[in-house]
Amino acid sequence: MTDRTIKNMAEFSELSGISRPTVSKYFNDPDSVRKSTRAKIEKALAQYEYRPNLFAVNLNKKRPKIVGLIVPDTADTFFSELVRRIEMRCVERGYLAIVLSSRGDSQLEARSIETLLSLKIAGAIVAPLGVHSDRQLMRSLRARIPMVFLDSSLDEETPFVGTDNFQSVPLITEYLCRSGEPPTYFDMPAVNQNGPERKQAYVATMERLGLKPEIVAVSQKNDWRFEDIAFEQTRRVLEGNGFPTRTVLCANDRCAVGVMAAVFQHGLRIGREPGCDIRIAGHDDQPHSRYGCPPLTTVAQDFDRLAQSAVAILLDRVESEDDGGNPEPQQVRLEGKLVMRASA
């Protein structure tokens, strides 16, 4: 034990009497030094209570084991769950993850990209805002390091991992048609490609079934306040002529939360049981969806496979760059799974 605070690895090397290259080699890979040397270093670490800045250690490596991750909002339970699983996958592969949030703001997203550009990192996983993303900055990031788009894509040249909206939306639309009145589609702001794709998939499915598509439009501004937008639009609908049908399929679970709140305040009973006034369903199966009142029928995105695929594709590209390879950009679209609960 010592009262002296060691500021960096150079001071630790001087006090412990162990060469700086050996100390650095130990922190990069403890098994790369001799057992007796490793024991000496670990004894000195305990004596001086020194812990290196692992972030700085990684940045000094030829190939830093740091991955950048940008998402629209870490407070959104969909993205927070993805972030949690991606971090776990990175740790399993020996990488650290730097998580940045754009908070639904294109300027903050641009700043996050510039932050990653200023750092020495191995690669990046980006869930882009979409319509208002700075595509030139994205291209600059992709030119600098391997990158994977997650949830929503901006081009075909960048690897992408997301859910296949043209499988998931028909899956739940067909279920709702089989089990009750055909659904009215409650749209979401077209902030990224998911909104237009899901609406297109709904319309195509209804037409294939010989049914008339009914759509409740919402503001198309760059606005990620899905619950607020859905709540206010639902109030307007209910104060007018009401929904065209007694089933509502929302573009995502966050919109469904807003719709359900407005419907409840209007005095309507939600559910599929006899005596209920309206059925409501969503898309995504966010962690809180099972705890709604009633629990929300939805399409589950496979969080674990989304995270696993994104990390695997990125790190495989990182390692293939070291080998001089240039793999084709993978486009992975995973199937959704119908989750039937009491709301529909």
Side-chain angles (χ1 to χ4, degrees):
M1 300 291 289
T2 178
D3 293 331
R4 177 173 176 177
T5 300
I6 299 177
K7 298 178 181 179
N8 52 48
M9 200 179 296
E11 288 189 12
F12 174 74
S13 173
E14 182 182 352
L15 283 173
S16 64
I18 304 166
S19 71
R20 171 68 183 274
T22 301
V23 172
S24 179
K25 188 177 180 182
Y26 168 84
F27 284 122
N28 284 331
D29 181 9
D31 293 330
S32 66
V33 300
R34 289 182 299 177
K35 186 176 180 180
S36 58
T37 304
R38 185 164 68 246
K40 184 178 179 181
I41 292 173
E42 290 170 354
K43 180 179 179 181
L45 287 173
Q47 178 182 355
Y48 296 109
E49 295 185 321
Y50 173 64
R51 293 294 179 271
N53 183 330
L54 292 180
F55 183 75
V57 170
N58 269 288
L59 289 179
N60 287 327
K61 292 182 178 179
K62 181 180 179 181
R63 189 183 77 197
K65 293 221 166 186
I66 299 175
V67 169
L69 175 58
I70 302 175
V71 296
D73 190 356
T74 52
D76 183 320
T77 54
F78 173 78
F79 289 111
S80 65
E81 185 65 16
L82 274 178
V83 166
R84 184 178 73 84
R85 292 171 187 262
I86 287 171
E87 287 179 320
M88 290 170 58
R89 293 293 179 180
C90 286
V91 169
E92 289 170 2
R93 295 282 294 264
Y95 284 76
L96 299 174
I98 302 174
V99 182
L100 302 172
S101 172
S102 58
R103 300 185 182 277
D105 185 307
S106 58
Q107 291 184 342
L108 288 178
E109 181 181 67
R111 188 181 303 171
S112 296
I113 296 170
E114 289 170 348
T115 297
L116 294 187
L117 285 168
S118 70
L119 299 173
K120 184 180 178 183
I121 60 177
I125 298 173
V126 180
L129 291 178
V131 175
H132 297 278
S133 292
D134 188 324
R135 293 172 182 261
Q136 183 57 47
L137 266 179
M138 289 289 187
R139 285 191 289 269
S140 297
L141 185 62
R142 190 186 69 200
R144 185 81 60 85
I145 57 174
M147 184 172 76
V148 175
F149 282 136
L150 177 65
D151 181 55
S152 176
S153 180
L154 295 182
D155 56 52
E156 295 295 324
E157 290 74 43
T158 306
F160 166 69
V161 177
T163 295
D164 184 355
N165 292 311
F166 293 101
Q167 177 272 337
S168 59
V169 173
L171 181 68
I172 193 165
T173 302
E174 291 170 358
Y175 162 73
L176 294 172
C177 290
R178 290 195 308 268
S179 56
E181 285 191 25
T184 295
Y185 185 78
F186 196 100
D187 204 5
M188 61 183 279
V191 292
N192 57 32
Q193 70 176 17
N194 285 322
E197 282 188 1
R198 291 176 188 178
K199 180 166 62 176
Q200 181 183 349
Y202 161 79
V203 170
T205 303
M206 293 290 282
E207 291 177 344
R208 175 168 54 82
L209 296 174
L211 300 169
K212 179 184 177 184
E214 300 283 0
I215 298 174
V216 175
V218 298
S219 168
Q220 293 304 298
K221 294 180 180 179
N222 181 34
D223 197 333
W224 285 73
R225 298 176 302 112
F226 299 140
E227 296 89 349
D228 295 344
I229 292 169
F231 179 82
E232 293 300 331
Q233 182 62 15
T234 301
R235 286 184 59 183
R236 286 190 285 270
V237 169
L238 295 175
E239 289 168 359
N241 296 325
F243 288 107
T245 68
R246 293 192 300 170
T247 302
V248 179
L249 171 59
C250 300
N252 62 37
D253 287 3
R254 289 184 58 190
C255 286
V257 169
V259 172
M260 291 174 75
V263 165
F264 175 80
Q265 288 190 15
H266 199 72
L268 300 178
R269 185 179 176 189
I270 304 167
R272 59 184 181 182
E273 300 299 325
C276 291
D277 303 298
I278 189 169
R279 297 188 303 162
I280 299 175
H283 189 292
D284 292 344
D285 196 27
Q286 298 202 25
H288 59 229
S289 297
R290 70 192 64 184
Y291 302 113
C293 189
L296 183 66
T297 289
T298 186
V299 178
Q301 297 200 55
D302 192 330
F303 288 98
D304 198 49
R305 286 189 65 197
L306 287 169
Q308 180 181 16
S309 298
V311 172
I313 290 173
L314 179 70
L315 298 186
D316 286 349
R317 293 180 75 83
V318 168
E319 291 163 8
S320 70
E321 278 200 342
D322 289 347
D323 298 334
N326 186 26
E328 291 295 318
Q330 293 175 260
Q331 304 288 309
V332 178
R333 290 173 172 81
L334 303 173
E335 290 190 352
K337 179 182 178 181
L338 180 64
V339 180
M340 295 176 288
R341 300 193 182 106
S343 73

